[in-house]
Amino acid sequence: MYPFSQKNFFPLNKNKGKILISATFPFIIKSICLSWLFSIGFTFILISFSFQNLNAKPKKKKETIKQKLIVLSVDGFPGYYFDSPEILSLIPNLKEFSEKSSFSREIQTVNPSVTYPAHTSMVTGVDPSVHGILNNTLVDPFEKNDGGWTWYSEDIKVKTLWDYAKLKSKKTGNVFWPVTVGADVDYNLPQIWRKRIPEDDKLLRALSSKGLHKRAELAVGEPLNDVTKDLVKFRTGFWMFETFQPDLLLLYTTDLDSTHHAYGPGSAEAKEKLKQIDSEFGEFIRALDLYNRKDLALLLISDHGFSYGESLCQPNVYLLNKGWIQTDLQTYDFIFKSSGGSAILLPGNRNVLTDEERVSLKNDLEMNCPGTKWRGDKEDIAELRKSQHPDALGLLSTKAKIYISGSRKGPVFQTVKQPIYGHGYDNQNPEMKTIGGFYLKGMKNRDDWKMDSVKDVFANVCKYLSLDCKN
């Protein structure tokens, strides 16, 4: 511990060494003393610093929470159900969620107010004419596609939530969300069917993420396909979330919509189904421990409300009688694509109506289907092409209890013996309003997360997960 090295201190020449040692001896003594003093002082400093560290409180590391989000869609839930004390008594779990979240029973859907366009607007934030999913089914009047729906994500023309999540290296999961066949989702169970027979299960296994469908079936102990009940879908969603911990999980349920189409909103069957769904929803959020977690949020949404028709209007019968649909040749000049409560006129062999044809079409349809209204002037067409369909030539809609069909059989207009339950009416119709809410523990301002449109799902997801969304 000397200030000099041993090699420099002892020279090899003995005589010179004696003189050197004699001359430098006082200096050596001073150096040794200084060295000892330095050592003692340094040791004292180290000991003092150690005691200070022992007494000091350890600094807390800033807690980082990795936020996760589940988007749950309950298809076909009318907002007016929340105006009914009887209905609210059947759905205590959904009622509790509505009270704890940024809930609204007046969420506006898109036009057409049907499932696939609405759900695609949820994950893109834009109208159907922009994202490209224009109806549940394709324009296929001669059934060349065998009733195929718009299942394939490659038909979506803009980026989706799963695309933006991927850019942020976030994991995504999906249980039967519409228009997700081929989607770039990490854990993907898409919705698709062909004949609703067991062969469809093989198709799902092939189109799902590799090995995921079979693994999910083993986990929940039930077949997974389009006729799977909501209870199994809830359990599959919980299993996927717990197993893979996706940052964003999309979960889609269908039982309420199916019951409404079959028996009507407010029916005894619909009320029983509501009780079941509410019970399943309650089990789901309790299993997740949703209300006690800071790392998990839930966005509940539906796609449209429900109404019914007491009369049936079939505008394609009118086009057939005019000779604008050529059944034998399987071609058409113009065709109506129905959504239920409305039908849009689209081009075929021809893409323009003459002024005379336009006037005649309006007068004839409104006369033959009393209670309907034709929209086909330049301003109407511009608005329709901007929001609903880029090729629109006009729209037949109604505020009355009329169902507008795409069929070409029977009369243009008739009264039906049993109501036809459905949707597809203009999204300004109060019966088409639906529900939605966002729950986040410790939410400071609920209004910041409140949704007015199904398109707001996109904005809320992007905000919560800090995605760089551009749509």
Side-chain angles (χ1 to χ4, degrees):
M1 298 291 247
Y2 296 94
F4 308 102
S5 70
Q6 190 174 9
K7 179 180 179 180
N8 293 333
F9 192 73
F10 295 103
L12 293 175
N13 188 302
K14 291 182 180 181
N15 292 328
K16 290 182 178 179
K18 289 179 181 179
I19 296 170
L20 182 63
I21 291 171
S22 174
T24 59
F25 184 75
F27 173 75
I28 293 171
I29 295 299
K30 289 180 181 179
S31 298
I32 291 171
C33 290
L34 287 171
S35 175
W36 284 345
L37 287 171
F38 177 80
S39 299
I40 291 168
F42 185 70
T43 302
F44 178 76
I45 290 169
L46 285 175
I47 292 169
S48 300
F49 184 73
S50 299
F51 275 110
Q52 286 178 2
N53 282 345
L54 287 172
N55 293 327
K57 293 181 180 180
K59 290 183 178 179
K60 288 184 178 180
K61 289 185 178 180
K62 189 176 180 180
E63 187 179 7
T64 57
I65 300 174
K66 191 174 183 182
Q67 303 291 354
K68 299 182 183 300
L69 174 62
I70 297 173
V71 179
L72 168 63
S73 171
V74 180
D75 196 323
F77 202 118
Y80 54 74
Y81 269 175
F82 269 78
D83 294 330
S84 167
E86 180 191 5
I87 294 294
L88 289 177
S89 71
L90 303 176
I91 52 172
N93 294 299
L94 288 165
K95 182 174 180 291
E96 181 185 18
F97 180 85
S98 74
E99 293 165 348
K100 291 183 175 182
S101 67
S102 62
F103 188 82
S104 173
R105 58 172 181 75
E106 293 187 339
I107 290 179
Q108 184 171 286
T109 186
V110 295
N111 282 322
S113 54
V114 293
T115 299
Y116 274 36
H119 278 84
T120 310
S121 288
M122 293 176 197
V123 297
T124 61
V126 295
D127 285 311
S129 62
V130 180
H131 62 57
I133 305 304
L134 307 171
N135 209 304
N136 287 344
T137 56
L138 303 172
V139 179
D140 185 30
F142 305 109
E143 298 185 357
K144 296 178 181 179
N145 192 37
D146 195 24
W149 282 41
T150 53
W151 290 306
Y152 306 102
S153 66
E154 69 178 75
D155 293 325
I156 303 176
K157 296 180 179 179
V158 296
K159 279 189 168 61
T160 62
L161 286 173
W162 52 83
D163 294 322
Y164 286 113
K166 184 73 68 177
L167 293 174
K168 282 280 191 172
S169 300
K170 294 184 182 293
K171 293 190 296 182
T172 51
N174 167 47
V175 179
F176 293 142
W177 196 271
V179 202
T180 51
V181 174
D184 191 9
V185 173
D186 294 295
Y187 310 103
N188 192 18
L189 293 172
Q191 185 185 44
I192 190 172
W193 66 90
R194 289 308 307 187
K195 294 297 182 182
R196 291 188 167 99
I197 59 175
E199 286 295 297
D200 279 1
D201 295 10
K202 298 175 185 176
L203 179 62
L204 268 170
R205 280 193 280 277
L207 295 175
S208 300
S209 299
K210 188 174 178 60
L212 182 64
H213 184 268
K214 184 172 286 188
R215 186 174 174 184
E217 284 189 322
L218 289 172
V220 299
E222 298 282 349
L224 290 175
N225 48 48
D226 186 63
V227 297
T228 295
K229 295 301 181 184
D230 284 355
L231 176 61
V232 179
K233 293 175 184 175
F234 274 116
R235 290 176 178 173
T236 304
F238 178 75
W239 168 81
M240 183 179 287
F241 183 80
E242 290 294 299
T243 304
F244 303 109
Q245 291 291 300
D247 301 291
L248 173 63
L249 174 65
L250 303 174
L251 174 58
Y252 170 62
T253 65
T254 58
D255 283 0
L256 185 62
D257 181 77
S258 300
T259 303
H260 282 157
H261 277 294
Y263 303 102
S267 63
E269 292 83 357
K271 292 173 185 176
E272 184 60 32
K273 185 57 64 178
L274 277 169
K275 288 172 61 178
Q276 291 178 15
I277 291 171
D278 183 76
S279 175
E280 292 157 7
F281 174 74
E283 288 181 16
F284 183 64
I285 60 172
R286 283 189 290 274
L288 291 167
D289 196 25
L290 174 68
Y291 297 136
N292 295 315
R293 296 176 65 162
K294 292 182 179 180
D295 65 328
L296 177 62
L298 177 67
L299 192 159
L300 174 68
I301 192 67
S302 184
D303 50 355
H304 53 72
F306 245 87
S307 188
Y308 63 93
E310 297 172 335
S311 301
L312 180 66
C313 174
Q314 302 186 125
N316 280 331
V317 174
Y318 170 79
L319 297 185
L320 182 68
N321 294 337
K322 290 275 288 186
W324 288 348
I325 298 176
Q326 303 87 36
T327 304
D328 293 342
L329 300 174
Q330 294 200 339
T331 61
Y332 56 88
D333 297 327
F334 305 102
I335 198 80
F336 275 102
K337 177 61 178 172
S338 170
S339 300
S342 62
I344 199 160
L345 184 68
L346 298 173
N349 299 329
R350 296 173 54 195
N351 55 19
V352 176
L353 286 163
T354 67
D355 291 340
E356 184 180 350
E357 288 171 338
R358 195 180 305 278
V359 171
S360 174
L361 189 69
K362 172 181 171 61
N363 293 337
D364 291 346
L365 287 175
E366 290 182 355
M367 180 182 66
N368 286 312
C369 290
T372 62
K373 180 176 178 57
W374 170 252
R375 295 176 54 200
D377 60 27
K378 290 182 179 179
E379 290 77 14
D380 289 328
I381 291 173
E383 192 280 326
L384 290 169
R385 290 182 175 181
K386 181 180 178 181
S387 64
Q388 189 165 342
H389 199 297
D391 301 322
L393 297 173
L395 181 78
L396 187 67
S397 61
T398 183
K399 293 183 179 180
K401 296 300 182 186
I402 299 172
Y403 189 87
I404 303 175
S405 168
S407 174
R408 302 187 301 276
K409 297 178 181 179
V412 176
F413 186 80
Q414 60 181 308
T415 301
V416 293
K417 294 180 180 180
Q418 296 291 331
I420 302 173
Y421 303 109
H423 39 91
Y425 296 85
D426 188 87
N427 64 0
Q428 299 296 323
N429 184 328
E431 292 180 306
M432 293 299 101
K433 302 282 185 174
T434 188
I435 63 161
F438 190 97
Y439 173 80
L440 165 64
K441 186 175 177 62
M443 184 186 297
K444 293 181 180 178
N445 189 346
R446 295 186 183 184
D447 287 342
D448 290 344
W449 300 92
K450 198 163 186 177
M451 295 176 287
D452 299 313
S453 164
V454 294
K455 294 183 286 186
D456 293 338
V457 171
F458 179 81
N460 272 357
V461 174
C462 291
K463 179 168 65 172
Y464 180 77
L465 293 178
S466 300
L467 307 180
D468 297 327
C469 301
K470 307 296 182 185
N471 292 2

